[in-house]
Amino acid sequence: ENDEFENIDVSDYLRDENEVQSDYHLNEGYDDDDEPKTIPVKVEATFSDYLNNQLGMLELDERRQEIAEQIIGSIDDDGYLRRDAISIADDLAFNRNIATDEEEVTELIRLIQDFDPPGIAAQDLRECLLLQLYRLGEQNGAVKTAITILSDYFDQFTRKHYEKIKQ
């Protein structure tokens, strides 16, 4: 009776960890054809990563690249750039030993404001809305009117003084 068990190779019944794991996930990793499926992996990119990727397309020299990276690093989670160009220039001088001025920083801010999403790097809601309207390109009557209201009558607009705006 014991003879039938003596010739059994136990290794046929042992599996390595990978086989056990694939059997455990049998329904998740394979379809009916036993072909491995790719399981989507969520890749989290930060908002700064998104802007820095667009920055790479500008092909700036190393110095201007660092200035632009400082600007992007100064953008808050809402997409606003709440620091003025002089403060950013001062930060660059003290922290990175890069000499620049308000004019150069402002020029790079304008380049970044062309990035997506429209309205990025605005200093306030008014500028954000204006940047979005300018991005529309076609300046039809409604867009022109909206730009005029935001440019010239923003305080009245925020206070809902529509009659004053109409006049």
Side-chain angles (χ1 to χ4, degrees):
E1 285 183 294
N2 287 343
D3 289 342
E4 67 181 280
F5 294 112
E6 286 178 12
N7 295 331
I8 294 177
D9 184 3
V10 180
S11 65
D12 290 342
Y13 295 96
L14 297 177
R15 299 178 182 180
D16 65 25
E17 290 177 15
N18 293 333
E19 288 177 353
V20 172
Q21 189 173 11
S22 69
D23 281 353
Y24 180 77
H25 297 289
L26 184 63
N27 292 332
E28 291 177 22
Y30 294 90
D31 61 16
D32 293 354
D33 298 330
D34 280 345
E35 292 292 321
K37 291 182 185 175
T38 54
I39 298 172
V41 176
K42 185 176 181 184
V43 176
E44 301 236 358
T46 65
F47 191 51
S48 289
D49 292 340
Y50 180 63
L51 295 174
N52 280 315
N53 285 339
Q54 295 176 72
L55 179 61
M57 294 179 207
L58 292 182
E59 299 179 4
L60 300 173
D61 63 47
E62 186 176 335
R63 184 181 155 282
R64 288 172 60 87
Q65 176 83 18
E66 286 192 51
I67 296 169
E69 287 171 1
Q70 180 75 28
I71 294 166
I72 288 173
S74 299
I75 295 173
D76 67 18
D77 291 341
D78 295 329
Y80 288 106
L81 180 62
R82 302 197 192 267
R83 307 198 68 229
D84 62 17
I86 294 171
S87 299
I88 293 170
D90 288 345
D91 285 348
L92 286 158
F94 291 120
N95 298 331
R96 295 197 186 192
N97 201 25
I98 296 174
T100 186
D101 58 16
E102 180 180 10
E103 184 179 325
E104 184 177 32
V105 172
T106 300
E107 176 191 339
L108 288 165
I109 289 170
R110 297 285 174 248
L111 289 175
I112 291 168
Q113 287 176 337
D114 284 337
F115 292 179
D116 282 328
I120 191 66
Q123 291 192 335
D124 53 32
L125 176 62
R126 178 179 164 270
E127 185 179 18
C128 180
L129 293 171
L130 284 167
L131 288 168
Q132 291 177 45
L133 288 168
Y134 293 138
R135 183 76 66 92
L136 291 175
E138 185 181 321
Q139 304 280 315
N140 62 28
V143 173
K144 284 182 182 176
T145 301
I147 289 172
T148 301
I149 291 169
L150 292 173
S151 297
D152 302 339
Y153 305 102
F154 187 71
D155 288 337
Q156 293 89 334
F157 177 72
T158 58
R159 294 186 183 120
K160 300 181 181 179
H161 295 162
Y162 303 125
E163 289 304 317
K164 287 183 182 178
I165 295 171
K166 285 181 189 177
Q167 292 173 359

